[in-house]
Amino acid sequence: MALNRRAFAALAALALACAPALPLGAQDKSIVVASTTSTEQSGLFGHILPMFTRKTGIAVKVVALGTGQALDVGRRGDADVVFVHDRPAEEKFVAEGYGVDRRDVMYNDFVLVGPKSDPAKAAGKDITAGLKAIAAAKAPFVSRADKSGTHAAELRYFKQAGVDPVAEGKGTWYRETGSGMGPALNTASSMNAYILADRGTWLSFRNRGELRIVVEGDKRMFNPYGVILVNPAKHAHVKQAEARAFMDWLVSAEGQAAIASYKIGGEQLFFPEAKG
Amino acid sequence: MRHRPRSLCKILPIGQPLRPPPATVNTLSLAFGEAWAMIARADPKLLEIVALSLRVSLSAVVVATLLALPFGAALAVARFRGRDALVVVLNALLGLPAVVVGLAVYLLLSRAGPLGALGILFTPAAMVIAQAVLIFPLIAALARQSVADAWREYAEQLHSLGAGPLASAFALLHDLRFSLVTIVLAAFGRAIAEVGAVMIVGGNIDGFTRVMTTAIALETSKGDLPLALGLGLVLLAIVLALNVGAHLMKERAQRHHG
């Protein structure tokens, strides 16, 4: 029975090793924040969250999704706080009673990225002119198409440019990938296509290939981020005190300074916006 | 054949001057470099991710094995109406996409779902459940097949010894234990290699639910392909080491009592 004994010992050892994985989620002070890929993948959270945790002892668990999905996670009560960037969708979320106490936190901006050779002649400081040129040239354009904040902004700009990309270019030059910012950038890089990206993700993105920024600095490309508490009246388990501590810290002088101090290659990614 | 495949020459660079090697070659060698560097300096972040991967997937394998082996064996020896249908369904579930399992478990464990009160969404426990659900059909279906084959051979013998169906099932499982190891290893391989389910139910939270596969997905989205592939190589090395270990243990045990 040597095998049995050994197998039993191995199983017992395994069970011990596994034990820490099993306690049912009862963590002392922590909150779950549903946020966007742009804040997580740009490295902002890695920079500011340790400061908050050091100060308050509250661990922040970030689930990074597209804005639409992050709001849905909040709606279902699976997060304590949502931290996203799509003002119309955020206001709807609050109006429907899923969230309360929305606050402006910071902003960054979108950039239109495209091939260095700029075949559509889209370069400039005007996002609608750039998108019109791309549509006219039928140059490949990669869309997130995932109901993210960036996707919503892209559709807004196309509308302002008087272009209906889905009707005019679906299946030809307008390519809907249904993926996050990073994967969509990878796709654009390999197709040498145009794409709308948030500056943070673009700056920290490594696989750029032949891509560069073609349009930036248009005031309309301002991209504000808001933080919302998931309504405790709808979801009683929301850790209100800890969540409010996090929101208060984000808009405090200290939190705002932390956000402003995050830089990649000397370039500031996010700009404080909180009032008071 | 009206059309000659002329375009083939365009696809394959036949007769064209050699171009500089494509970037992928560079990425591959960079990936090996990254993998080696991470292992060599025993990167604490890497160790944490590896430890969580092992903990989650081994837990899932233990849970799924304890449930699926008796289930598969029972299905092999029991006779009841609808058994064949159940077997077909079980076999079909082998093709279950991980992302569908993830979504189903997500909806179950979500606060708005039936098991929401547990509050275990976005925790390692949720990942264990998702992986266990994912590999249960694999273990059960393959174990059922092994036991059914053995049952055909030994049914009479077991009957003559007066063993009931339940006792027979367990006797056969014990007899087949060496080949069952392979099944369990395959299940472990599927569990630790999948990304779709753990991404959805775990949320890929840094330092809490980030495992090898979700870390690879994250680095890929950041465009850091060498680091992503490097992590992939580390994952491969771990799975290989575990398989070698299991193989050696099996060999030794088999030699001791055939």
Side-chain angles (χ1 to χ4, degrees):
Chain A
M1 295 311 270
L3 175 75
N4 276 353
R5 217 173 305 136
R6 204 171 307 136
F8 182 78
L11 261 181
L14 216 89
L16 276 180
C18 298
L22 293 175
L24 300 181
Q27 280 267 321
D28 34 333
K29 281 173 97 187
S30 73
I31 54 170
V32 173
V33 175
S35 190
T36 71
T37 49
S38 50
T39 37
E40 167 83 348
Q41 291 180 10
S42 63
L44 175 73
F45 280 144
H47 178 73
I48 66 169
L49 293 185
M51 298 183 201
F52 171 72
T53 303
R54 253 199 313 277
K55 180 165 179 186
T56 59
I58 300 170
V60 180
K61 298 175 188 160
V62 177
V63 181
L65 309 154
T67 289
Q69 213 185 340
L71 287 171
D72 191 54
V73 164
R75 219 169 270 133
R76 304 181 64 90
D78 292 324
D80 302 301
V81 172
V82 289
F83 189 175
V84 294
H85 63 113
D86 182 0
R87 178 99 24 119
E90 288 166 42
E91 279 162 3
K92 186 160 168 262
F93 183 78
V94 173
E96 288 171 351
Y98 293 109
V100 290
D101 200 12
R102 183 194 171 284
R103 301 184 205 172
D104 294 319
V105 177
M106 62 186 187
Y107 67 90
N108 69 348
D109 64 341
F110 291 116
V111 292
L112 183 67
V113 169
K116 280 185 182 133
S117 59
D118 191 19
K121 307 254 173 300
K125 283 196 172 303
D126 185 333
I127 182 64
T128 51
L131 291 179
K132 252 185 217 151
I134 291 168
K138 300 198 190 308
F141 183 96
V142 168
S143 170
R144 293 270 299 270
D146 63 347
K147 294 194 172 175
S148 59
T150 310
H151 180 218
E154 176 211 304
L155 292 177
R156 215 156 48 229
Y157 302 146
F158 266 118
K159 201 167 179 191
Q160 286 164 6
V163 175
D164 183 348
V166 179
E168 293 176 26
K170 187 173 178 142
T172 57
W173 60 270
Y174 186 70
R175 296 171 186 173
E176 299 180 286
T177 59
S179 58
M181 193 71 257
L185 276 169
N186 274 327
T187 307
S189 164
S190 61
M191 287 179 176
N192 227 3
Y194 291 91
I195 181 171
L196 186 77
D198 65 279
R199 190 185 293 273
T201 308
W202 169 250
L203 281 177
S204 55
F205 185 70
R206 307 277 289 274
N207 181 30
R208 293 183 185 179
E210 290 295 304
L211 299 182
R212 68 169 172 103
I213 292 178
V214 292
V215 177
E216 64 181 323
D218 187 326
K219 278 206 185 87
R220 287 170 292 189
M221 293 167 94
F222 175 95
N223 175 29
Y225 284 76
V227 67
I228 311 172
L229 179 69
V230 173
N231 193 352
K234 267 215 157 80
H235 296 287
H237 57 266
V238 166
K239 293 176 185 159
Q240 204 179 151
E242 290 89 343
R244 281 193 192 279
F246 177 60
M247 294 166 69
D248 289 343
W249 182 82
L250 277 178
V251 300
S252 72
E254 193 186 336
Q256 295 280 293
I259 289 167
S261 70
Y262 182 57
K263 293 188 169 103
I264 295 180
E267 202 165 337
Q268 183 174 342
L269 260 61
F270 295 94
F271 298 86
E273 198 197 6
K275 296 149 191 110
Chain B
M1 284 285 270
R2 250 156 29 87
H3 299 287
R4 296 202 4 244
R6 267 178 308 168
S7 57
L8 203 62
C9 290
K10 272 188 193 161
I11 298 164
L12 301 169
I14 298 166
Q16 282 180 8
L18 277 175
R19 291 203 208 119
T24 43
V25 173
N26 199 7
T27 306
L28 265 180
S29 59
L30 279 176
F32 276 103
E34 287 273 7
W36 180 245
M38 278 185 290
I39 297 170
R41 65 168 187 268
D43 190 303
K45 201 92 192 164
L46 176 73
L47 292 183
E48 183 190 300
I49 292 174
V50 168
L52 183 65
S53 291
L54 287 174
R55 248 168 51 195
V56 167
S57 295
L58 287 174
S59 305
V61 167
V62 170
V63 172
T65 302
L66 290 177
L67 296 173
L69 283 186
F71 180 79
L75 202 53
V77 300
R79 315 229 144 264
F80 57 91
R81 271 168 71 91
R83 186 184 73 152
D84 288 351
L86 192 57
V87 168
V88 170
V89 168
L90 189 63
N91 287 340
L93 286 178
L94 290 178
L96 200 58
V99 65
V100 172
V101 172
L103 202 53
V105 174
Y106 172 81
L107 292 174
L108 270 180
L109 296 181
S110 166
R111 292 286 185 176
L115 299 178
L118 292 176
I120 57 170
L121 190 67
F122 302 140
T123 67
M127 299 157 82
V128 172
I129 293 172
Q131 289 192 346
V133 170
L134 182 72
I135 61 179
F136 177 89
L138 180 74
I139 302 174
L142 295 181
R144 187 212 63 86
Q145 190 62 55
S146 297
V147 173
D149 292 345
W151 178 239
R152 217 165 293 137
E153 216 169 311
Y154 298 116
E156 273 181 38
Q157 225 174 314
L158 284 161
H159 273 311
S160 68
L161 290 172
L166 199 68
S168 303
F170 278 100
L172 289 173
L173 278 180
H174 182 254
D175 204 48
L176 291 166
R177 61 194 182 279
F178 295 118
S179 46
L180 294 178
V181 169
T182 311
I183 294 173
V184 172
L185 276 177
F188 173 75
R190 180 157 201 219
I192 201 162
E194 73 83 25
V195 58
V198 283
M199 183 66 100
I200 295 178
V201 304
N204 192 23
I205 298 168
D206 192 9
F208 186 58
T209 58
R210 183 163 299 164
V211 290
M212 298 290 293
T213 51
T214 57
I216 292 169
L218 177 65
E219 292 309 327
T220 305
S221 20
K222 285 174 165 173
D224 199 339
L225 305 188
L227 181 56
L229 203 52
L231 282 167
L233 291 171
V234 173
L235 178 63
L236 198 64
I238 292 166
V239 175
L240 187 68
L242 252 151
N243 272 277
V244 168
H247 180 76
L248 292 179
M249 214 169 101
K250 192 169 127 182
E251 288 281 293
R252 252 212 0 233
Q254 243 165 348
R255 228 178 301 125
H256 277 299
H257 42 109

